[in-house]
């Protein structure tokens, strides 16, 4: 019946076609306007409707959480490596022996009795067994024998690797002439020393 009525009234058909075209163009304009608003982020209402219509955006938050988990894993792997390296013994090398002796020289210049007796502990224990006082008492006297200029020079003193004598990697000699500093030292106020590798590091065990 509707088809017959449309065929009978051509004007009505044309009018309906015009209305349909008008609606199509209006809808197209509305759609393009919504797309523009969503693209520029200017339509909060349309964005809410889009979020409600599409449950997929929450899944996009999952990838953002993945990178956050990755650093935590790398951080976890970094901590054990630091702990293991702290437990490892010092390398048994000439370079490490020089480093330890320089540590002793710098502490001697600063009058750091704790570090001095840590590095020179075995040698000081031998002296104590031979009738001398404990390390702290002995080096308190040594500090008095070194002039202020010499103490300042010891704080930045270095060791010439070419003058270091390596008997074995367990026993290394540090002669007086191997010490490089801005001050002059003698066998009486500084002397030469022997470092031995004991347990996990080098220690001063004897003086010459």
């Amino acid at each position: 019946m509707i088809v017959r009525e449309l065929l009978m009234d051509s004007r009505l058909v044309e009018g309906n076609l015009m209305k349909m075209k008008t609606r199509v163009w209006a809808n197209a304009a509305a759609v393009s306007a919504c797309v523009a608003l969503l693209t520029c982020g200017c339509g909060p209402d349309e964005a809410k409707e889009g979020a409600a219509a599409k449950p997929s955006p929450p899944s996009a938050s999952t990838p953002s959480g993945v990178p956050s988990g990755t650093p935590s894993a790398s951080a976890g792997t970094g901590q054990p490596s630091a702990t293991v390296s702290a437990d490892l013994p010092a390398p048994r090398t000439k370079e490490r022996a020089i480093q330890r002796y320089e540590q002793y020289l710098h502490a001697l210049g600063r009058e750091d009795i704790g570090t001095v007796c840590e590095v020179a502990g075995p040698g000081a224990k031998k002296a104590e067994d031979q009738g001398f006082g404990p390390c702290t008492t002995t080096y308190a006297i040594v500090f008095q024998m070194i002039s202020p200029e010499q103490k300042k020079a010891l704080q930045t003193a270095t060791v010439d690797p070419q003058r270091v004598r390596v008997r074995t990697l367990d026993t290394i000699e540090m002669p007086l002439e191997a010490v490089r500093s801005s001050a002059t030292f003698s066998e009486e106020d500084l002397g030469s020393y022997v470092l031995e590798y004991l347990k996990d590091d080098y220690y001063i065990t004897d003086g010459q």
Side-chain angles (χ1 to χ4, degrees):
M1 295 295 293
I2 296 175
V3 173
R4 290 179 181 179
E5 291 177 358
L6 290 175
L7 291 174
M8 291 173 64
D9 194 349
S10 60
R11 292 182 180 180
L12 180 60
V13 172
E14 293 177 358
N16 288 333
L17 289 175
M18 291 299 294
K19 289 180 181 180
M20 291 174 64
K21 290 181 180 181
T22 303
R23 290 177 182 175
V24 170
W25 284 109
N27 291 334
V31 171
S32 61
C34 290
V35 172
L37 289 174
L38 290 174
T39 303
C40 65
C42 299
D45 295 334
E46 290 80 357
K48 291 180 181 178
E49 293 176 0
K54 297 181 180 180
S56 58
S59 64
S61 62
T62 302
S64 63
V66 173
S68 64
T70 303
S72 63
S74 63
T77 57
Q79 292 177 355
S81 64
T83 303
V84 171
S85 63
D87 295 337
L88 289 175
R92 196 187 305 258
T93 62
K94 174 183 176 181
E95 290 74 18
R96 175 56 183 171
I98 292 174
Q99 184 182 28
R100 282 287 276 177
Y101 188 54
E102 288 179 346
Q103 183 182 0
Y104 165 80
L105 295 175
H106 299 164
L108 195 63
R110 297 191 308 268
E111 296 189 12
D112 181 357
I113 193 71
T115 302
V116 167
C117 287
E118 190 273 324
V119 180
K125 183 63 171 60
K126 287 182 179 180
E128 184 177 358
D129 293 341
Q130 293 175 0
F132 294 91
C135 181
T136 53
T137 302
T138 302
Y139 272 96
I141 299 173
V142 174
F143 291 154
Q144 297 176 4
M145 298 172 59
I146 304 174
S147 68
E149 292 78 14
Q150 290 175 324
K151 290 177 183 177
K152 184 177 180 180
L154 284 172
Q155 294 176 19
T156 57
T158 59
V159 175
D160 184 358
Q162 302 298 326
R163 295 180 179 273
V164 174
R165 300 167 189 164
V166 180
R167 299 180 189 172
T168 66
L169 288 180
D170 289 327
T171 305
I172 299 179
E173 298 180 16
M174 300 290 176
L176 176 64
E177 57 269 20
V179 177
R180 295 174 176 174
S181 71
S182 58
T184 303
F185 294 92
S186 64
E187 292 291 345
E188 287 75 21
D189 48 29
L190 184 60
S192 301
Y193 293 92
V194 175
L195 277 73
E196 293 185 52
Y197 195 94
L198 304 174
K199 294 183 179 180
D200 60 353
D201 211 342
Y202 285 95
Y203 296 90
I204 294 176
T205 59
D206 198 6
Q208 297 177 350

